[in-house]
């Protein structure tokens, strides 16, 4: 009778592992769904050493063991969400905005109420909608879809955080300069300008929106406020030019 070497036993163990994996794969693929769940739960119970707990001690032990698994899953999912956010930022750095949107949308599966993720989606979608040179084959319908996505993403960011200034400002710029919706810009920019001590950027947007809606006096007042409060000579000069343009349009 020949002696089995350590190598022989190692090969046999490897074969057993492979056969076990094949059996598990077949069970998952070919068992009905209800039997799949029962089978997988049995495997999990065997792994954790938990089977039909009955006493208080057994139940407490089972809860403790499963809680550890739950905590591990939550930790991994949290990290996965963060990785998707980082990946989205990397795609943005590479100007791969479609890929960035996909990554941020995956991140929302883990952080569904994160205003910053919605803001980044809005930025990417707006860039895609306006990039006629980078995407010359994009249809008008596709461009409009990206504009719509950008608006909805910015709006959701503001809903989650009404004080999210960057999202309010970005949405207002989109309304005024791209979508010809100045009244919508006024509705969200006026409250923001009222809160800020020196709302210079907001006032430029409001001045343009007031002009577009025929509210010339309000537009002039917005530019006057910039002229009085801005420490930037360039901003004051821009405000002076805009004010003169509005005054000419008003006819005085």
């Amino acid at each position: 009778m020949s002696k089995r070497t350590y190598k022989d036993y190692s090969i046999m163990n490897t074969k057993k592992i492979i056969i076990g994996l094949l059996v598990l794969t077949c069970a998952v693929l070919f068992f009905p769904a209800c039997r799949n769940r029962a089978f997988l739960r049995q495997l999990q119970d065997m792994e954790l050493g938990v089977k039909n707990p009955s006493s208080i001690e057994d139940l407490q032990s089972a809860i403790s063991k499963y809680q550890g698994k739950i905590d591990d899953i939550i930790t991994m999912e949290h990290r996965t969400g963060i990785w998707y956010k980082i990946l989205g930022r990397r795609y943005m750095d590479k100007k791969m905005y479609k890929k960035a949107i996909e990554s941020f949308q995956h991140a929302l599966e883990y952080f569904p109420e994160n205003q910053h993720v919605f803001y980044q989606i809005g930025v990417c979608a707006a860039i895609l909608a306006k990039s006629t040179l980078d995407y010359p084959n994009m249809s008008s319908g596709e461009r409009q879809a990206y504009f719509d996505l950008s608006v909805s993403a910015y709006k959701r960011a503001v809903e989650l955080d009404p004080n999210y200034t960057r999202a309010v400002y970005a949405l207002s710029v989109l309304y005024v300069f791209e979508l010809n919706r100045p009244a919508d810009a006024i509705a969200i920019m006026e409250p923001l300008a009222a809160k800020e001590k020196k709302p210079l950027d907001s006032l430029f947007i409001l001045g343009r929106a007031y002009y577009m809606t025929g509210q010339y006096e309000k537009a002039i007042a917005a530019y006057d406020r910039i002229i009085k409060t801005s420490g930037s000579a360039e901003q004051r000069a821009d405000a002076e030019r805009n004010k003169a343009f509005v005054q000419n349009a008003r006819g005085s």
Side-chain angles (χ1 to χ4, degrees):
M1 185 174 180
S2 62
K3 294 182 179 180
R4 293 183 182 273
T5 65
Y6 174 79
K7 182 178 180 181
D8 294 329
Y9 283 112
S10 177
I11 293 172
M12 289 176 65
N13 288 335
T14 301
K15 288 181 178 178
K16 289 179 180 179
I17 292 171
I18 293 172
I19 291 171
L21 290 173
L22 288 173
V23 171
L24 176 59
T25 303
C26 290
V28 172
L29 291 176
F30 300 112
F31 282 12
C34 59
R35 295 181 64 186
N36 279 351
R37 289 192 293 269
F39 179 71
L40 293 174
R41 182 164 184 173
Q42 287 177 2
L43 290 177
Q44 187 176 33
D45 288 344
M46 290 171 61
E47 178 189 353
L48 296 173
V50 176
K51 185 177 181 181
N52 298 325
S54 56
S55 68
I56 292 176
E57 291 78 10
D58 289 343
L59 289 166
Q60 288 176 338
S61 177
I63 290 171
S64 176
K65 290 177 179 178
Y66 275 111
Q67 184 63 50
K69 287 290 184 181
I70 292 171
D71 291 340
D72 289 343
I73 291 171
I74 291 173
T75 299
M76 287 305 299
E77 289 195 345
H78 181 79
R79 289 176 180 173
T80 302
I82 291 174
W83 292 333
Y84 271 122
K85 288 196 291 184
I86 295 172
L87 181 60
R89 289 296 307 174
R90 294 293 182 272
Y91 278 134
M92 288 184 73
D93 292 341
K94 298 292 185 180
K95 301 185 185 304
M96 300 169 68
Y97 299 110
K98 292 183 180 181
K99 288 289 188 180
I101 289 174
E102 292 177 5
S103 296
F104 289 130
Q105 287 174 333
H106 282 303
L108 288 177
E109 297 174 11
Y110 301 91
F111 306 112
E113 294 188 347
N114 187 299
Q115 66 272 30
H116 304 296
V117 176
F118 280 105
Y119 172 77
Q120 298 295 353
I121 291 174
V123 171
C124 293
I127 292 173
L128 284 169
K130 293 185 288 184
S131 299
T132 55
L133 295 178
D134 295 332
Y135 301 94
N137 296 324
M138 187 183 297
S139 67
S140 59
E142 191 175 359
R143 292 189 193 284
Q144 186 59 50
Y146 278 119
F147 274 129
D148 293 342
L149 175 60
S150 182
V151 169
S152 63
Y154 285 144
K155 288 177 69 174
R156 183 57 179 152
V158 175
E159 288 173 1
L160 292 168
D161 183 1
N163 296 318
Y164 196 179
T165 305
R166 292 175 67 188
V168 175
Y169 183 78
L171 180 56
S172 298
V173 169
L174 207 59
Y175 280 151
V176 171
F177 294 100
E178 302 295 338
L179 301 176
N180 193 28
R181 295 169 58 180
D184 290 327
I186 292 170
I188 61 175
M189 286 299 286
E190 282 184 336
L192 180 64
K195 294 178 183 177
E196 295 178 327
K197 292 182 179 179
K198 294 181 68 175
L200 300 175
D201 291 334
S202 301
L203 288 171
F204 271 112
I205 300 299
L206 278 172
R208 177 64 176 266
Y210 287 141
Y211 163 74
M212 293 173 68
T213 55
Q215 302 180 68
Y216 299 130
E217 297 304 325
K218 286 188 174 182
I220 292 171
Y223 292 129
D224 278 338
R225 188 175 172 187
I226 296 170
I227 294 166
K228 292 178 182 178
T229 60
S230 178
S232 166
E234 183 178 356
Q235 282 188 330
R236 292 195 301 270
D238 287 340
E240 289 281 8
R241 284 193 294 270
N242 291 346
K243 176 183 175 181
F245 184 85
V246 174
Q247 287 175 329
N248 289 333
R250 186 186 60 177
S252 63

